[in-house]
Amino acid sequence: MSEALHDPVKIGIVSISDRASTGVYEDKGLPALQDWLTRALLNPITFEPRLIPDEQDTISATLIALVNEGCSLVLTTGGTGPALRDVTPEATLAVAHKEMPGFGEQMRQISLRFVPTAILSRQVAVVREQSLIINLPGQPKAIAETLEGLKDATGAQLVPGIFAAVPYCIDLIGGPYLETRDEVCKAFRPKSAVRAR
């Protein structure tokens, strides 16, 4: 199916790291987010990438700016642990109109399948105006696992990833109709919300 048949979407991707933002090491978060979203979505995507330090005011201002620029979805990576400089959840909650706790709960359930320290992660998701903002883990492998979920050797879904719920959430807040490639991540919508092809 041609991309022209799908709604265009603008997505903000934000990597939050003191060291990467100052060039101490190469940022891996933005490429990981862009790669996964490009594989998962059939929609034509305009990315708005940002690489910023772990500063609460800067993070909040960046999220507000991306929402104001028309991003229907904003994904952040980094800064969600318990370390003193980890302030991404606080910065995200500060700009929220609604909190969406199920996303963080599911991300921790997925990560706990791999590491017991998943209980130290504090990712949150919120709605601001007509945008969904989600904090993701910092490692590229964990980003893909939480978005996509866990599959067995045959490709059957063991644990749903969080992205399965993202398109319908964006429908409900008045955003574009996101369509996924089922082999990467099958979006779930009630039958009444599925657009006829």
Side-chain angles (χ1 to χ4, degrees), residues 131-178:
S131 300
L132 175 62
I133 304 170
I134 306 174
N135 301 156
L136 294 170
Q139 297 302 316
K141 182 173 179 285
I143 289 170
E145 287 163 356
T146 53
L147 289 170
E148 205 164 315
L150 306 180
K151 295 174 181 162
D152 66 16
T154 68
Q157 193 87 51
L158 296 172
V159 181
I162 63 161
F163 205 84
V166 167
Y168 186 51
C169 181
I170 290 176
D171 292 352
L172 293 172
I173 60 176
Y177 189 86
L178 299 187

Side-chain angles (χ1 to χ4, degrees), residues 181-196:
R181 289 184 176 87
D182 288 356
E183 66 272 18
V184 178
C185 175
K186 185 172 173 56
F188 177 82
R189 286 179 169 95
K191 285 191 177 119
S192 61
V194 174
R195 185 185 286 181

Side-chain angles (χ1 to χ4, degrees), residues 14-68:
V14 185
S15 186
I16 299 157
S17 166
D18 285 333
R19 288 177 292 174
S21 66
T22 54
V24 173
Y25 63 71
E26 182 188 359
D27 171 64
K28 292 188 169 64
L30 294 176
L33 289 169
Q34 190 161 332
D35 172 67
W36 192 89
L37 289 162
T38 302
R39 284 191 298 113
L41 286 171
L42 291 165
N43 306 67
I45 307 167
T46 301
F47 288 105
E48 290 291 339
R50 304 287 186 272
L51 177 57
I52 58 175
D54 292 277
E55 296 289 348
Q56 187 168 334
D57 291 347
T58 302
I59 299 166
S60 289
T62 300
L63 297 177
I64 291 169
L66 289 169
V67 171
N68 291 345

Side-chain angles (χ1 to χ4, degrees), residues 43-126:
N43 306 67
I45 307 167
T46 301
F47 288 105
E48 290 291 339
R50 304 287 186 272
L51 177 57
I52 58 175
D54 292 277
E55 296 289 348
Q56 187 168 334
D57 291 347
T58 302
I59 299 166
S60 289
T62 300
L63 297 177
I64 291 169
L66 289 169
V67 171
N68 291 345
E69 287 170 33
C71 292
S72 303
L73 176 64
V74 179
L75 299 179
T76 75
T77 176
T80 59
L84 294 178
R85 295 286 294 167
D86 289 337
V87 292
T88 302
E90 288 74 19
T92 304
L93 291 168
V95 305
H97 292 151
K98 292 178 179 165
E99 192 176 347
M100 304 295 291
F103 285 101
E105 291 164 6
Q106 184 64 6
M107 281 189 270
R108 284 181 282 278
Q109 284 302 310
I110 293 166
S111 297
L112 276 167
R113 296 286 188 108
F114 298 98
V115 289
T117 50
I119 57 173
L120 303 179
S121 66
R122 304 184 303 117
Q123 293 102 321
V124 300
V126 305

